[in-house]
Amino acid sequence: MSNRVHTTTKKDLVNRIADETGQTKVVVKEIVQRFLDEVIDELAHGNRLEFREFGVFEVRERAARRAQNPRTLQKVEVPSKRVVKFKVGRLMREKVEDPPEPEPEPTPEPEKVEPAKPPIPRPNSNSPF
């Protein structure tokens, strides 16, 4: 497995979806952004989002706790807060656990070397040119 991680941006996804569907990038970007905004709104209202085979997003309450600053060793109170939890769906889990083989990089074809042409015989001449 490669240690090299590639970051894919929203723009990368929009471009890929636009190319695959034939839709314009503007339309795809609006749809993707609207989808992401809706996910955020639902979670902000405390709702659970379930996408079969993909996963489940839900908001959980993290209890207040007492923590310690590692530098100063001072005890600090950490208030309770709401956090988003994600549980991976079956299809995503299977694909991540067994990723597809990376596509091999194309090997350049070896350059064709043409055999050297024999020199053209020149008539014998006493001319200096």
Side-chain angles (χ1 to χ4, degrees):
M1 185 171 175
S2 172
N3 290 336
R4 199 167 130 215
V5 177
H6 172 76
T7 299
T8 301
T9 64
K10 180 170 58 173
K11 182 178 181 179
D12 296 331
L13 293 176
V14 165
N15 290 340
R16 190 179 317 154
I17 293 168
D19 290 345
E20 290 174 5
T21 62
Q23 292 292 325
T24 66
K25 291 176 186 175
V26 172
V27 169
V28 173
K29 181 180 177 187
E30 287 175 9
I31 292 169
V32 169
Q33 189 58 56
R34 180 63 190 244
F35 174 78
L36 295 173
D37 291 344
E38 288 295 322
V39 168
I40 292 168
D41 288 345
E42 289 295 319
L43 292 169
H45 286 97
N47 296 330
R48 181 176 185 268
L49 286 116
E50 182 176 323
F51 302 107
R52 303 258 174 192
E53 306 293 326
F54 180 81
V56 177
F57 292 94
E58 60 186 345
V59 177
R60 296 257 177 98
E61 187 78 22
R62 185 176 287 166
R65 62 190 174 90
R66 190 173 175 98
Q68 180 174 313
N69 182 328
R71 275 203 186 138
T72 65
L73 302 180
Q74 180 182 4
K75 301 287 183 189
V76 229
E77 293 299 322
V78 178
S80 66
K81 62 180 178 178
R82 292 168 31 145
V83 294
V84 175
K85 295 286 185 177
F86 178 73
K87 182 179 176 192
V88 178
R90 182 187 61 83
L91 183 62
M92 183 187 298
R93 184 180 337 95
E94 289 171 1
K95 286 207 172 204
V96 170
E97 286 176 356
D98 190 23
E101 292 294 320
E103 293 181 21
E105 292 185 23
T107 54
E109 291 189 25
E111 291 183 29
K112 293 182 181 178
V113 179
E114 294 189 25
K117 295 180 182 177
I120 300 171
R122 300 196 178 217
N124 233 350
S125 165
N126 290 337
S127 169
F129 301 104

